[in-house]
Amino acid sequence: QDTTAGKSKAAVCSACHGAEGISVLPDYPNLAGQKQKYLELSIKAYRDGGRKHAVMSPMAAGLSDADILDIAAYFAALPAQSPAK
Amino acid sequence: QDTTAGKSKAAVCSACHGAEGISVLPDYPNLAGQKQKYLELSIKAYRDGGRKHAVMSPMAAGLSDADILDIAAYFAALPAQSPAK
């Protein structure tokens, strides 16, 4: 996977999940520092229909496996934010 | 919500999601520092069938709304772990 390519491919994600992977909306999860494999499985589940969400399903529909790996690697590598910060 | 009650109710979660909400398995998400509302919505989705998972669906089946709020508050308040640590 390629975190630099992932950053570019993840630009659209930032509207909800924040520029640095810390969500700007309480209903939506932080992605920064999340397990890379879990992120990959989640995006694939949205793409392939195992998980359904009005926003995420269409977002994921056009992604290749390589896109998903890059995006997952990018968010997993971002620093997680503790509540105290 | 009651984070102390949540800690007690969340004891069973630690087998997969870690004693401090940092997952011990790559397929499973970290919960520490996650958005409280997202955690609540996720557990309710497992309980109510909107999300399905072989482990999480039965785990959530017996939880009340109050249980879910307590558990979500507990994990949201734990410090998130950055990849660099």
Side-chain angles (χ1 to χ4, degrees):
Chain A
Q1 70 279 351
D2 179 338
T3 57
T4 303
K7 181 174 184 175
S8 172
K9 293 173 182 177
V12 70
C13 312
S14 65
C16 293
H17 293 286
E20 298 294 330
I22 303 299
S23 176
V24 297
L25 297 166
D27 285 13
Y28 292 167
N30 301 329
L31 303 180
Q34 187 52 274
K35 290 276 190 283
Q36 181 177 328
K37 188 71 181 177
Y38 175 74
L39 294 172
E40 177 195 340
L41 293 172
S42 297
I43 302 170
K44 285 183 175 175
Y46 284 122
R47 183 190 65 181
D48 300 335
R51 266 179 95 172
K52 297 179 194 302
H53 186 272
V55 178
M56 280 304 300
S57 299
M59 283 278 184
L63 298 176
S64 69
D65 285 359
D67 291 336
I68 291 172
L69 283 175
D70 290 346
I71 293 168
Y74 169 67
F75 282 113
L78 290 176
Q81 187 179 60
S82 292
K85 288 179 188 172
Chain B
Q1 69 279 349
D2 179 337
T3 56
T4 303
K7 182 174 183 176
S8 172
K9 294 173 182 177
V12 70
C13 311
S14 65
C16 293
H17 292 286
E20 298 295 329
I22 304 299
S23 176
V24 297
L25 297 166
D27 285 13
Y28 292 167
N30 300 330
L31 304 180
Q34 187 53 273
K35 291 277 190 284
Q36 181 176 328
K37 187 70 181 179
Y38 175 73
L39 294 172
E40 177 195 341
L41 293 172
S42 296
I43 302 170
K44 285 184 175 175
Y46 285 123
R47 183 190 65 181
D48 300 335
R51 266 179 94 171
K52 297 178 194 301
H53 186 271
V55 178
M56 280 304 300
S57 299
M59 283 278 184
L63 299 176
S64 69
D65 285 359
D67 291 336
I68 291 172
L69 283 175
D70 290 346
I71 292 167
Y74 169 66
F75 282 114
L78 290 176
Q81 186 179 60
S82 292
K85 287 180 188 173

